[in-house]
Amino acid sequence: MLMGLKTASLLSFQKSRFEDFEGLLASYMQCFYCKGISVFRLSEGEEYVLLLFYRKGALIKDLAQPAAKKILKKLGYLDEDTLMGKLEYLKMRMQLKKSFPHEVGLFLGYPPEDVAGFIRHKGQDFAYSGYWKVYVNERETRALFDLYADCTHDFCLRLEAGERLPDLVKAV
């Protein structure tokens, strides 16, 4: 997501591992904002915080796909809700379920057909499993997973080599 390939990513942080987690996050917010990345707190406890990093325009477009809208409507999301309203509803569903609701994949840019397949098959009978469980378009999705893996590897190498995070984050 930080390299501009994905709509969104979920990252969990153990706050106590940072001297000042809130300060560190705040120091990066301008960088994220200028690169077109928004941050939403999906879940937070005393020790951990789960953040959704997303590209607003791409997420709005993904959630507006007819197949995505159909899934969300069945789960109680309102068509007329703003993106923030949908994110708040997802957050509430996570709190109620105490786990990840299946539609979280739509918010991460997974194909709606794969999210629908996961729901229908209860996570079983998939064609392939990588970054998510694949039910349709296996060949194309495998190629996309390879691209994600290559990008992640490159990003980590560059970070380890001393490049600054703001310089690595791509604007889209």
Side-chain angles (χ1 to χ4, degrees):
M1 199 286 307
L2 296 176
M3 298 298 285
L5 293 177
K6 294 176 61 190
T7 296
S9 291
L10 279 174
L11 296 174
S12 177
F13 295 91
Q14 185 177 2
K15 295 184 277 189
S16 65
R17 294 192 64 169
F18 301 89
E19 189 174 307
D20 178 11
F21 176 77
E22 294 301 330
L24 179 64
L25 182 60
S27 74
Y28 282 117
M29 290 307 288
Q30 183 61 35
C31 167
F32 293 141
Y33 179 76
C34 74
K35 303 279 177 114
I37 298 170
S38 298
V39 181
F40 182 79
R41 290 174 188 256
L42 257 181
S43 178
E44 187 164 11
E46 191 72 28
E47 183 63 15
Y48 290 91
V49 61
L50 182 65
L51 301 177
L52 178 72
F53 292 83
Y54 65 96
R55 297 190 184 267
K56 184 178 179 180
L59 185 52
I60 288 171
K61 182 179 173 188
D62 287 352
L63 298 180
Q65 293 177 66
K69 288 173 72 170
K70 182 178 178 183
I71 293 167
L72 293 174
K73 187 171 184 152
K74 281 184 182 179
L75 297 170
Y77 290 81
L78 303 175
D79 278 344
E80 61 272 9
D81 262 355
T82 63
L83 176 58
M84 194 52 61
K86 287 177 171 67
L87 288 169
E88 289 292 346
Y89 190 73
L90 174 64
K91 181 178 184 175
M92 187 259 320
R93 286 184 41 82
M94 283 184 66
Q95 290 170 346
L96 291 175
K97 292 177 76 71
K98 306 244 188 277
S99 67
F100 289 102
H102 300 315
E103 74 271 15
V104 75
L106 297 172
F107 290 84
L108 295 171
Y110 299 176
E113 299 79 15
D114 287 334
V115 174
F118 186 88
I119 293 169
R120 183 173 34 264
H121 297 283
K122 298 178 174 45
Q124 302 299 311
D125 304 322
F126 46 89
Y128 183 72
S129 181
Y131 288 87
W132 62 82
K133 291 187 177 174
V134 179
Y135 291 88
V136 298
N137 300 323
E138 178 186 354
R139 194 178 90 229
E140 295 90 344
T141 306
R142 280 181 184 255
L144 183 61
F145 288 174
D146 288 344
L147 183 61
Y148 288 169
D150 291 345
C151 184
T152 300
H153 179 74
D154 179 61
F155 187 89
C156 290
L157 284 177
R158 292 171 62 192
L159 198 58
E160 289 170 3
E163 287 192 50
R164 296 176 346 106
L165 180 64
D167 296 333
L168 291 172
V169 175
K170 300 284 187 224
V172 176

